[in-house]
Amino acid sequence: MIVTTKQLFAAAYGKYAIGAYNINNLEQTMGLFQGNVDSQAPFIIQISKGARSFTHKNMLEALIRAADGIFPEAIFAVHLDHGDEATCFDCIASGFYSSVMIDASGEAFAKNIEITKRVVDAAHAKGIVVEAELGQLGGVEEHVKVDEANAKLTDPDQAKEFVEKTGVDSLACAIGTSHGAFKFAGTQGLHFEVLEAIQKRLPNFPLVMHGSSSVPQEEVARINAAGGNLKGAKGVDENQFKRAAELGVTKINIDTDGRLVWTRVHREFFRDFPEKFDLRDPGKIFMSEYANFIAHKNGKLGSAGQIEFVRKMGK
Ligand code: G3H
Ligand code: 13P
Ligand code: ZN
């Protein structure tokens, strides 16, 4: 059942965070639904601009509709990840997305407000929820490159002004994370003091944490042992998710970790079975491993076991 992120946030705020997982293909979609149903967790499916153009923008929609029928128990929102203005308008018009992210964080403050407000007005007219971003994460996004050294954390006073002026429903804040598998060069970590200051100014307002993959060292070691080269990869400590949730983070974005599961499964499979070439063999293993991974993450986020509560709230 497709719901809005707003409904999910109302149930979760201050208690746990909802996992927001990116998908690009069939195997990820099946593993994602299976893992969330297994762990009885509500969840958010994220589709990036790159994912929309990977095959055809209608393809993932068709996969999600099919999965919704195969897993009738599942409760989830469908969300555009890191949209520009044109893509947001396209998703709003499609009638399929229950939530969009407008990412104008690379623009100056006033311009970010202006663009975000236009998207909010159009989305709200159709009952669609909007996430925006303020501050800049380090690392690499599809269309934005920000040097980690210059990454700008979200200013709490600006966050309050931004939310008041745009009417946005949730805000992605830069608190020290970055996208991808190489998040921290040294001993940096999450800036909880920034979250605390934002929550003080915006009580009960849902915050979003991007760049939240934990890049498990065991996974990295297995990938490297099977021919990969991911030296120095490092992520966020997943045991910090609950503290972030208490401070108002209700959505935690995870993409890279899923890619690592895919890479490990396929590298090990073809190393161990060089004579095989049926794509379904590693595909089956991946779906099962990805489902286990999702269930594990939901345990760390605190969303595992929350599906019934969300279902009852919706009635
Ligand atoms: O934040 C970016 C997400 O991990 C999506 O990545 O733009 O390569 O699909 P992508
Ligand atoms: P990771 O690269 O840490 O998985 O972050 C994903 C993300 O923020 C998607 O918007
Ligand atoms: Zn992101």
Side-chain angles (χ1 to χ4, degrees):
M1 178 172 63
I2 299 179
V3 297
T4 66
T5 43
K6 202 170 189 159
Q7 289 164 273
L8 299 180
F9 294 161
Y13 188 89
K15 297 187 287 240
Y16 62 92
I18 314 277
Y21 303 103
N22 292 66
I23 59 158
N24 288 275
N25 71 5
L26 164 66
E27 289 89 339
Q28 267 182 321
T29 308
M30 286 300 283
L32 179 63
F33 275 79
Q34 187 67 61
N36 283 299
V37 167
D38 287 349
S39 57
Q40 293 286 288
F43 63 107
I44 297 168
I45 299 181
Q46 305 211 114
I47 303 176
S48 72
K49 267 176 65 189
R52 277 163 58 87
S53 60
F54 172 48
T55 54
H56 185 284
K57 66 178 182 179
N58 295 343
M59 186 53 86
L60 290 173
E61 175 177 337
L63 283 176
I64 293 167
R65 285 195 196 282
D68 192 21
I70 296 164
F71 297 93
E73 267 187 274
I75 297 185
F76 59 98
V78 180
H79 175 77
L80 168 68
D81 189 28
H82 292 286
D84 54 23
E85 193 173 356
T87 312
C88 283
F89 277 96
D90 195 49
C91 292
I92 292 166
S94 85
F96 178 60
Y97 291 73
S98 57
S99 165
V100 294
M101 175 189 190
I102 171 67
D103 181 358
S105 62
E107 304 286 351
F109 185 60
K111 188 100 200 254
N112 190 352
I113 290 179
E114 204 182 292
I115 297 169
T116 301
K117 175 92 173 70
R118 279 201 294 270
V119 172
V120 167
D121 290 345
H124 283 183
K126 291 185 79 177
I128 295 166
V129 176
V130 182
E131 171 184 331
E133 180 167 326
L134 185 64
Q136 284 181 273
L137 276 72
V140 182
E141 282 171 21
E142 187 185 8
H143 57 296
V144 190
K145 281 195 176 117
V146 187
D147 193 311
E148 188 172 82
N150 298 327
K152 294 193 197 88
L153 302 184
T154 303
D155 176 299
D157 291 323
Q158 279 197 341
K160 182 171 159 53
E161 186 184 339
F162 185 89
V163 169
E164 285 169 356
K165 288 193 168 153
T166 58
V168 77
D169 303 286
S170 65
L171 188 67
C173 300
I175 60 156
T177 64
S178 61
H179 292 103
F182 301 89
K183 296 191 192 300
F184 306 110
T187 52
Q188 308 98 312
L190 302 184
H191 288 262
F192 285 119
E193 79 287 357
V194 175
L195 272 183
E196 263 175 61
I198 296 171
Q199 193 190 35
K200 217 173 256 169
R201 287 159 182 79
L202 291 167
N204 297 312
F205 185 81
L207 306 176
V208 179
M209 205 164 92
H210 282 245
S212 303
S213 279
S214 52
V215 190
Q217 291 307 294
E218 192 206 315
E219 198 76 306
V220 172
R222 285 176 71 175
I223 289 170
N224 288 343
N229 183 8
L230 295 178
K231 294 196 180 68
K234 211 168 175 184
V236 173
D237 178 357
E238 60 189 6
N239 294 312
Q240 297 194 317
F241 291 165
K242 285 197 179 149
R243 171 98 182 102
E246 285 162 12
L247 293 172
V249 172
T250 44
K251 172 173 177 279
I252 290 191
N253 287 14
I254 298 169
D255 183 14
T256 295
D257 282 347
R259 297 180 183 199
L260 293 177
V261 175
W262 186 93
T263 304
R264 185 251 304 161
V265 165
H266 288 81
R267 279 198 177 278
E268 288 186 346
F269 182 84
F270 289 113
R271 175 197 63 191
D272 297 342
F273 303 99
E275 74 287 3
K276 296 212 175 193
F277 53 88
D278 185 341
L279 61 93
R280 292 169 297 194
D281 291 336
K284 274 257 176 221
I285 300 170
F286 171 71
M287 285 188 279
S288 155
E289 294 277 306
Y290 192 55
N292 293 341
F293 159 79
I294 294 289
H296 165 82
K297 279 288 163 196
N298 291 339
K300 295 291 178 184
L301 294 163
S303 62
Q306 297 291 339
I307 206 168
E308 259 334 293
F309 183 76
V310 174
R311 199 186 313 280
K312 282 189 189 129
M313 264 187 80
K315 281 186 183 153

Coordinates of all heavy atoms in Angstrom, one line a residue, residues 22 24 48-51 81-82 140-142 179 210 255-256 259, ligand 1:
N22 N 17.2 3.3 -2.1 CA 17.1 3.5 -3.5 C 17.0 2.2 -4.3 O 17.6 1.2 -3.9 CB 18.4 4.2 -4.0 CG 18.5 5.6 -3.4 OD1 18.6 5.8 -2.2 ND2 18.4 6.6 -4.3
N24 N 17.0 0.5 -8.4 CA 17.3 0.7 -9.8 C 16.8 -0.5 -10.7 O 16.8 -0.3 -11.9 CB 18.8 0.8 -10.0 CG 19.3 2.2 -9.5 OD1 19.3 3.1 -10.2 ND2 19.8 2.2 -8.3
S48 N 16.1 7.9 -7.9 CA 16.9 9.1 -8.2 C 16.7 9.4 -9.7 O 16.1 8.7 -10.5 CB 18.4 8.8 -8.0 OG 18.8 7.9 -9.0
K49 N 17.2 10.6 -10.1 CA 17.1 11.0 -11.5 C 17.8 9.9 -12.4 O 17.4 9.5 -13.5 CB 17.8 12.3 -11.7 CG 16.9 13.5 -11.7 CD 17.6 14.8 -11.8 CE 18.3 15.0 -13.1 NZ 19.2 16.1 -13.2
G50 N 19.0 9.5 -11.9 CA 19.8 8.4 -12.6 C 19.0 7.1 -12.7 O 19.0 6.5 -13.7
A51 N 18.2 6.8 -11.7 CA 17.4 5.5 -11.7 C 16.3 5.7 -12.7 O 16.0 4.7 -13.4 CB 16.9 5.3 -10.3
D81 N 14.3 11.1 -5.3 CA 15.5 11.4 -4.5 C 16.3 12.4 -5.3 O 16.6 12.3 -6.5 CB 16.3 10.1 -4.4 CG 17.5 10.3 -3.4 OD1 17.4 11.1 -2.5 OD2 18.5 9.5 -3.6
H82 N 16.7 13.5 -4.7 CA 17.5 14.6 -5.3 C 17.0 15.1 -6.6 O 17.7 15.1 -7.6 CB 19.0 14.1 -5.4 CG 19.7 13.9 -4.1 ND1 20.1 14.9 -3.4 CD2 20.0 12.8 -3.5 CE1 20.7 14.4 -2.3 NE2 20.7 13.1 -2.3
V140 N 30.1 12.9 -3.4 CA 29.7 13.0 -4.8 C 28.2 12.7 -4.9 O 27.8 11.6 -4.5 CB 30.5 12.1 -5.7 CG1 30.1 12.3 -7.2 CG2 32.0 12.3 -5.5
E141 N 27.4 13.6 -5.5 CA 26.0 13.3 -5.9 C 26.0 13.3 -7.4 O 27.0 13.7 -8.0 CB 25.1 14.4 -5.4 CG 24.7 14.2 -3.9 CD 24.0 15.4 -3.4 OE1 23.4 16.2 -4.2 OE2 24.0 15.6 -2.2
E142 N 25.0 12.8 -8.0 CA 24.9 12.7 -9.4 C 25.3 14.0 -10.1 O 26.0 14.1 -11.0 CB 23.5 12.3 -9.8 CG 23.3 12.0 -11.2 CD 21.8 11.7 -11.5 OE1 21.0 11.9 -10.6 OE2 21.5 11.3 -12.6
H179 N 27.7 11.4 0.6 CA 27.3 10.3 -0.2 C 28.4 9.4 -0.6 O 29.6 9.8 -0.6 CB 26.6 10.8 -1.5 CG 25.3 11.5 -1.3 ND1 25.1 12.8 -1.3 CD2 24.1 11.0 -0.9 CE1 23.9 13.2 -1.0 NE2 23.2 12.1 -0.8
H210 N 20.8 12.3 4.9 CA 21.3 11.6 3.6 C 22.7 11.0 3.9 O 23.3 11.2 5.0 CB 21.5 12.7 2.5 CG 20.2 13.0 1.9 ND1 19.9 12.7 0.6 CD2 19.0 13.6 2.4 CE1 18.7 13.1 0.3 NE2 18.1 13.7 1.4
D255 N 21.8 4.0 0.3 CA 21.9 3.4 -1.1 C 23.2 2.7 -1.3 O 23.2 1.5 -1.7 CB 21.8 4.6 -2.1 CG 21.9 4.2 -3.5 OD1 21.7 3.0 -3.8 OD2 22.1 5.0 -4.4
T256 N 24.3 3.3 -0.9 CA 25.6 2.7 -1.2 C 25.7 1.3 -0.5 O 26.3 0.4 -1.2 CB 26.7 3.6 -0.6 OG1 26.7 4.8 -1.3 CG2 28.1 3.0 -0.6
R259 N 24.5 -1.3 -2.8 CA 25.3 -1.5 -3.9 C 26.5 -2.4 -3.5 O 27.0 -3.2 -4.3 CB 25.9 -0.2 -4.4 CG 24.8 0.8 -5.0 CD 25.4 2.1 -5.5 NE 24.3 3.0 -5.9 CZ 24.5 4.0 -6.7 NH1 25.7 4.3 -7.2 NH2 23.5 4.8 -7.0
Ligands
G3H1 O1 22.3 10.4 -3.3 C1 22.4 9.7 -4.3 C2 21.9 8.4 -4.3 O2 22.8 7.4 -3.8 C3 21.5 8.0 -5.7 O3 22.6 7.8 -6.5 O4 22.2 9.4 -8.4 O5 23.7 7.4 -8.6 O6 21.2 7.0 -8.5 P1 22.4 7.9 -8.1

